[in-house]
Amino acid sequence: MISPAMDMNTKKILLVEDDPSLGFVIKDNLILKGYQVTLCKDGEEGENAFHEQPFHLCILDVMLPKKDGFSLAKAIREKNSHVPILFLTAKSMTEDKLAGFQTGADDYITKPFSLEELIYRIEVFLRRSNGHAVLPDGKVFQVGQFEFDHFNLTLKNTSSEKTLTQKEAEVLKLLYQNRDRVLKREEILKHVWGDDDYFMGRSMDVFISKLRKYLKEDPAVQIVNYHGVGFRLELR
């Protein structure tokens, strides 16, 4: 289910952070940048706010009272598969970060962080997700037996239809557009994530694995891994 259309003049951000000092600092700085921010102190309050109004982006702390950030992200994804989700986390364990991507989150930022970095990440996401508020080219791609609608984030064949996240759709589109060559890992990371560090690379591998799972119904469609180099979408 997709949230109703939003006013494109002001970007609305849902911020769920249980540390009142950090929450207010982030909120005040985002307001100064021209964003409209709804600040919630726990996961249940955040989920209620998301059901009450549409948002362009969600910023979720992982360790939240009443409902943790991972559970909240799952609830958000059930209602809206498009909205970008950014995790704030004090945890540095790779497993925790990968667990976040499995819930449908798009990125994370580890505490402590600079407000400049956070605002940069937000701006990148909002630029990339604008296609779901302003009509893009609307092109539909034929990927083997699948019809891939990048605008509507759908991947379907005669027996099933899957709704992709924004990043899944961006990765698949990039692979499709470069299907005649091996697409280097750093190219994918810089195009979709805006960076090519180690943890971004691990998250990309999660998204590639999910796309393989979606496409496995058609054995003629393969995402081939060239170890240490990159990936190639092969349509046999």
Side-chain angles (χ1 to χ4, degrees):
M1 178 179 177
I2 306 304
S3 296
M6 290 178 279
D7 177 7
M8 293 307 299
N9 294 323
T10 302
K11 302 297 185 183
K12 298 180 180 180
I13 295 177
L14 174 63
L15 171 62
V16 189
E17 170 58 63
D18 64 323
D19 181 331
S21 298
L22 178 59
F24 283 121
V25 167
I26 294 174
K27 178 179 179 179
D28 288 347
N29 277 270
L30 292 181
I31 289 174
L32 287 174
K33 288 290 184 177
Y35 299 111
Q36 181 178 327
V37 182
T38 297
L39 173 61
C40 300
K41 63 182 181 300
D42 61 60
E44 288 185 359
E45 185 181 332
E47 184 175 0
N48 290 336
F50 191 83
H51 284 291
E52 289 172 359
Q53 61 176 308
F55 291 94
H56 292 85
L57 182 139
C58 300
I59 304 173
L60 314 178
D61 190 14
V62 171
M63 303 300 292
L64 291 169
K66 298 186 179 181
K67 184 187 285 279
D68 64 75
F70 295 156
S71 300
L72 176 56
K74 289 179 181 178
I76 288 172
R77 278 286 170 257
E78 289 175 359
K79 181 176 175 62
N80 188 313
S81 61
H82 295 183
V83 63
I85 298 175
L86 172 64
F87 274 136
L88 304 179
T89 175
K91 294 184 176 182
S92 59
M93 293 293 290
T94 303
E95 291 78 9
D96 293 319
K97 293 171 181 175
L98 294 180
F101 290 116
Q102 293 284 7
T103 66
D106 296 282
D107 205 352
Y108 67 89
I109 185 168
T110 303
K111 300 175 183 178
F113 54 84
S114 70
L115 287 169
E116 290 78 9
E117 180 184 3
L118 176 62
I119 291 169
Y120 170 77
R121 299 277 189 97
I122 290 170
E123 290 173 347
V124 167
F125 276 122
L126 290 178
R127 283 198 301 270
R128 288 173 180 166
S129 63
N130 268 349
H132 296 285
V134 179
L135 289 176
D137 58 13
K139 188 171 182 180
V140 175
F141 305 94
Q142 192 67 39
V143 184
Q145 298 174 4
F146 294 93
E147 182 181 279
F148 169 41
D149 187 331
H150 179 259
F151 169 53
N152 289 307
L153 301 184
T154 59
L155 181 69
K156 61 184 178 181
N157 59 14
T158 55
S159 61
S160 65
E161 179 173 341
K162 297 177 178 66
T163 300
L164 306 180
T165 67
Q166 177 71 35
K167 273 207 165 34
E168 288 169 351
E170 289 296 329
V171 171
L172 182 55
K173 180 180 179 181
L174 193 62
L175 287 169
Y176 181 85
Q177 291 175 328
N178 294 273
R179 60 193 179 279
D180 295 327
R181 70 182 182 92
V182 177
L183 193 60
K184 293 183 178 179
R185 293 178 63 87
E186 55 266 30
E187 290 182 75
I188 302 174
L189 288 167
K190 288 181 179 179
H191 181 87
V192 179
W193 277 267
D195 200 349
D196 63 348
D197 70 14
Y198 172 78
F199 289 111
M200 294 297 182
R202 292 294 303 275
S203 69
M204 177 182 67
D205 292 336
V206 171
F207 283 93
I208 293 288
S209 296
K210 293 171 78 172
L211 287 173
R212 283 192 176 118
K213 181 179 178 181
Y214 300 153
L215 296 165
K216 69 180 182 180
E217 293 180 28
D218 185 354
V221 179
Q222 300 286 332
I223 300 177
V224 180
N225 180 18
Y226 291 79
H227 186 69
V229 179
F231 302 93
R232 178 177 176 173
L233 178 65
E234 294 187 356
L235 306 176
R236 299 170 183 173

